[in-house]
Amino acid sequence: MSSNYLKSLQAVLSGVSQRQAATKNGVSRNTVALLAKYAQDKGWQVPEDLADVTEQDLKLVVQGNYSSSSDDQGYAMPDYEAVHAELAKAHVTLKLLWQEYVEEHVASGERYYMETQFRHYYHDFVQKKKATIRLVHKPGMAMQVDWAGTKIGYYDEETATMSEASLFVSVLPCSQLMYAEVFRDEKLPSWIMAHVHAFQYLGGVPKTLVPDNLKTGVHKPNFYEPSLNRSYEEMANFYGTVILPSRTYKPQDKAAVENSVKITSNQVFGGLRNRKFSSFTELHEAVFDVLEKINNRPLTGKSVSRWTAFKDEEKDYLLTLPHESFELSLWSQAKVQPNCHIVYQSHYYSVPFQYLGETVDIRAPLRTIEIFYHQQRIASHRRSFGKQEYTTLAEHMPPGKLFFADWDSDRFVNWAAKIGPCCKKVVQLVLDRAVIEQQAYRTCFGILGLSDKHSSQRVEHACQLLLQRTRAPRLQHLKQILAQQEDLQMADATKEQTSSDKRGFRRGAHYFADDRRMEK
């Protein structure tokens, strides 16, 4: 009990062991040890030395709050300006700084404070002169990001319907400065743009980003090696920051943003609940006004706002913001087709013929298309948004064979005519049926290429049989006829018919029937 601190110390100075003094007076052994150490530092050796000491004085010692001039006399006061500055550095803790303080003053023979008082005086220093306490979060070290679960309604002028907007929220845990913005959706472009706008709002970039394991940011959650979205990772590399996703089902990893989402949601969704927004722009401006009020309002229990704390304590520790903003690039994969092209958004882009059949990565910024194989760029084109069109570089084609680069419908028809009239007819029907002529080139190549595997005669017979069945021939139908050798069966039947015709002229039954009628 706190009323027995003086009795316990008197007993220890009388020669009673610390264990016995603690048991007799109902005080913990650690407390008795702390009081004994304090008495030793003060030079007290006998109970009579405690004549001017009160129970309250010892209570303050135990709580680490003893601050009378007599207590501080002869003790080296730490330089808390330097302590506060050192705490901003990575991996520096208050305990480490206390140990260094002790080593320094032991070497010089000066008396030093124990860790409890060292921490107490630092807290006093922060409350009087500073805005933040750097015990958990380092300034400029992290920015926690997330989508708020609730959405807010507005009238969308583009679709002429009522829609719902999503709220992006980020926070710097050290200064608690927040950023919030509404977006029409939660897709990757919105996610990336939200980060870019947050960096611009801060005027710098934090050293790490702590997102949740949402699909737009993290493909496969893993504590040791998470698989990140490639566009999100590219954005982080551009700004020089690192993405450290929180652990799954561990909301304490990003407690600051969870609390910020709650604060922002209460202010935005609660404060704007009775307003009707006639456009997305109006909603966007209203949310920004709420954000500014939150960041300029004094923090709970302090006289400074988030903005003031950020400018005084954290801004100088952010990474420098690049002069140019990040340009979003979407990544995808495609297989190089036999015509030395890949397809991206229904447009064909050429690839060097050495990569036929390989799977390549496609990076698509706004103006260009870049093609990578094993992280090495192998082709680059100006981006085109035409559907079913070709962008081809001649040097990408195999030597002496430019495939589609210098082909047209007349060339395909003339080639088919050399095989036979039926083949020519099939190729012409394929070309006529295509919405865009180039769309049919691959099919034409496939039809004409069958003569390399089968004879031109067989291909002609197969085309003849196909034309008897349909007026919309397809390459797959032609391959099926040849695989089942239906063209050979048709050729055999034609031969039998021809051989029977060579036996001579035969009168039919009608001939003799007419003769019998004439006899009658």
Side-chain angles (χ1 to χ4, degrees), residues 298-309:
L299 287 161
T300 303
K302 298 181 181 179
S303 60
V304 296
S305 66
R306 289 177 168 84
W307 261 123
T308 303

Side-chain angles (χ1 to χ4, degrees), residues 394-408:
E395 58 266 27
H396 289 169
M397 300 297 109
K401 192 172 184 181
L402 294 181
F403 283 96
F404 301 159
D406 55 352
W407 282 83
D408 55 25

Side-chain angles (χ1 to χ4, degrees), residues 171 211 320 459:
V171 62
T320 303
V459 172

Side-chain angles (χ1 to χ4, degrees), residues 422 425-426 429 460-473 477-478 481 486-487 489-491 493-494:
C422 293
K425 183 64 175 177
V426 168
L429 288 173
E460 174 65 15
H461 289 161
C463 288
Q464 180 182 353
L465 188 59
L466 184 60
L467 289 173
Q468 294 174 4
R469 297 177 178 177
T470 180
R471 302 301 295 176
H477 296 159
L478 199 59
I481 291 174
E486 295 181 47
D487 59 300
Q489 298 173 13
M490 184 188 72
T494 303

